Amino acid sequence: MDGADSANASEQGVAIVSEAICEEIIGRPEAFTAVENVFAAMARDNAYNFPVVREAIGHADALYGFKSGFDRAGMVLGVKSGGYWPGNVDKNLTNHQSTVILFDPDTGQLKALVGGNYLTAVRTAAASAVSIAHLARKDAKVLGMVGAGHQSTFQLRAAVEQRDFEKVIAWNPHPEYLPRLAAVCEELGLPFEAVDREQLGAEADVIITITSAFEPLLMKDWIKPGTHIACMGTDTAGKQEVDPQLLAAASVFTDEVAQSVSIGEAQHAIASGLISDSDITSVGEVINGTHPGRRNEQEITLFDGTGVGLQDLAVASAAAELAQQKGLAKQISL
Ligand code: NAD
């Protein structure tokens, strides 16, 4: 943004963009583009995530924190603040609550307050979709879903747009949630089957894991050659969704290597010495064409989607801009 635009933004005041407006204006294509662009910028060292703060506040069992960063390529500066309030379910509220705050990188002035709950789900789904677009075999036909919670339907909808899938198979530790995925498949006209984990590994060409697991749910020997796996659930120290041997056998890609090795799926393979940091490639390098990505049809590719603050800022900035263009943002002066 140049100086004239920034003066303009300051005259406009602060844009307030509600959850409902975000849902109205940010669809899967907008989220995909925003996330793909920011992953590319990160790999060019043109966008940086700042250290994440996440603390138990000693009240309401809540975990609260900040994810912040600066995207110099997109001129987006800000912070997503929020966390996890387990008691919210009894209040008819989503357990994960977040708000994105955007600042003008030229002046530091507050630019926008954007609801972050819906955007978190679409940006997380966009991350695995970007990985599928760039790393999965072109002829992938069967999508395997592991996990059937809140994020899973967003993941499913974004994934099926990336390849010509003919069938969706799924497994979840709580099978009673699976009808949620079956309903989306019915709406999309895709056959759906609940399977056991071994069958899922044997049949799926692309697998998404999106659970809160703390132990491996998929073993290396169950996964067939040529599979692409997007591990999306592990975003905290101690969480785990797949066998560390699978990371040793696969070509591993991620949103950000520093998060992958510390809070992502790779933390376990790193801790047991099966792989090192240098074995993990930023997916942005594949997007930028500085890494070839998948090398052959037999290779297993694994995307460790840890969730970075810049993803949140990218979709929130797109939401704020579109809302302002369409006259949907509420403008206030501080
Ligand atoms: P949710 O609570 O709605 O669903 C949780 C899912 O995990 C369900 O499929 C449930 O059956 C399963 N599950 C619960 N406890 C389990 C256990 N002990 N072992 C194995 N599976 C278990 O949660 P959600 O909003 O769908 O989020 C799923 C996961 O994705 C969470 O771990 C969340 O932190 C993570 N997440 C990651 C990102 C990212 O950017 N990578 C973004 C948002 C959420």
Side-chain angles (χ1 to χ4, degrees), residues 128 131-132 207-210 228-232 241 301-303:
S128 61
S131 85
I132 295 167
I207 300 174
I208 296 176
T209 61
I210 183 75
H228 174 68
I229 308 171
C231 295
M232 303 305 297
E241 295 189 295
T301 52
L302 186 148
F303 175 66

Side-chain angles (χ1 to χ4, degrees), residues 34-35 37-39 41-43 46-50 67-72 74 76-80 100 102 123 255-256 259 307-317:
V35 168
N37 286 343
V38 83
F39 284 169
M42 283 163 60
N46 223 351
Y48 315 90
N49 290 291
F50 303 142
K67 279 186 168 182
S68 177
F70 177 43
D71 175 5
R72 187 187 299 277
V76 180
L77 175 69
V79 56
K80 174 166 102 164
V100 179
L102 298 173
R123 68 76 149 150
D255 41 23
E256 189 181 79
Q259 283 203 174
V308 292
L310 282 170
Q311 277 171 265
D312 298 297
L313 304 187
V315 286
S317 172

Side-chain angles (χ1 to χ4, degrees), residues 107-132:
T107 63
Q109 284 180 298
L110 180 60
K111 270 180 72 176
L113 292 175
V114 185
N117 296 350
Y118 163 77
L119 291 181
T120 298
V122 280
R123 68 76 149 150
T124 306
S128 61
V130 165
S131 85
I132 295 167

Side-chain angles (χ1 to χ4, degrees), residues 16-322:
I16 311 287
V17 187
S18 67
E19 287 285 341
I21 299 294
C22 288
E23 285 194 42
E24 191 181 323
I25 58 178
I26 297 294
R28 289 186 293 279
E30 290 80 12
F32 185 101
T33 303
V35 168
E36 188 181 47
N37 286 343
V38 83
F39 284 169
M42 283 163 60
R44 292 193 308 268
D45 284 336
N46 223 351
Y48 315 90
N49 290 291
F50 303 142
V52 175
V53 172
R54 196 163 161 90
E55 297 289 334
I57 62 171
H59 175 74
D61 277 337
L63 284 175
Y64 169 71
F66 311 104
K67 279 186 168 182
S68 177
F70 177 43
D71 175 5
R72 187 187 299 277
M75 275 290 134
V76 180
L77 175 69
V79 56
K80 174 166 102 164
S81 180
Y84 183 70
W85 274 259
N88 276 6
V89 68
D90 304 328
K91 299 172 185 156
N92 229 1
L93 293 170
T94 314
N95 289 349
H96 290 273
Q97 290 290 327
S98 64
T99 306
V100 179
I101 308 164
L102 298 173
F103 300 94
D104 181 339
D106 292 317
T107 63
Q109 284 180 298
L110 180 60
K111 270 180 72 176
L113 292 175
V114 185
N117 296 350
Y118 163 77
L119 291 181
T120 298
V122 280
R123 68 76 149 150
T124 306
S128 61
V130 165
S131 85
I132 295 167
H134 288 279
L135 294 167
R137 285 196 339 259
K138 296 279 184 279
D139 62 351
K141 295 284 180 234
V142 178
L143 173 64
M145 295 292 304
V146 175
H150 177 69
Q151 306 291 330
S152 66
T153 55
F154 292 89
Q155 292 284 327
L156 171 58
R157 286 179 192 277
V160 295
E161 291 173 347
Q162 308 311 319
R163 291 292 183 265
D164 205 2
F165 288 109
E166 293 175 352
K167 184 179 171 188
V168 176
I169 57 180
W171 177 86
N172 192 50
H174 306 99
E176 64 274 20
Y177 298 164
L178 287 172
R180 192 179 257 170
L181 295 175
V184 173
C185 289
E186 192 176 344
E187 184 197 316
L188 299 173
L190 273 170
F192 174 86
E193 195 184 341
V195 295
D196 65 31
R197 289 179 279 177
E198 288 89 334
Q199 191 183 343
L200 189 135
E203 279 191 33
D205 301 308
V206 171
I207 300 174
I208 296 176
T209 61
I210 183 75
T211 70
S212 316
F214 281 81
E215 61 194 6
L217 303 175
L218 291 178
M219 303 313 288
K220 181 201 132 214
D221 292 343
W222 302 345
I223 307 302
K224 67 177 183 181
T227 302
H228 174 68
I229 308 171
C231 295
M232 303 305 297
T234 299
D235 56 0
T236 307
K239 280 189 181 172
Q240 183 173 19
E241 295 189 295
V242 303
D243 181 358
Q245 294 289 352
L246 183 55
L247 283 95
S251 294
V252 181
F253 299 84
T254 188
D255 41 23
E256 189 181 79
V257 175
Q259 283 203 174
S260 172
V261 301
S262 55
I263 59 169
E265 193 61 42
Q267 64 182 290
H268 308 286
I270 291 277
S272 49
L274 288 169
I275 63 169
S276 64
D277 297 32
S278 59
D279 295 317
I280 305 175
T281 305
S282 155
V283 73
E285 288 190 38
V286 184
I287 298 167
N288 290 334
T290 53
H291 186 284
R294 167 174 293 280
R295 289 171 217 265
N296 60 59
E297 300 296 284
Q298 297 300 304
E299 183 177 30
I300 294 173
T301 52
L302 186 148
F303 175 66
D304 186 2
T306 65
V308 292
L310 282 170
Q311 277 171 265
D312 298 297
L313 304 187
V315 286
S317 172
E321 260 175 45
L322 275 171

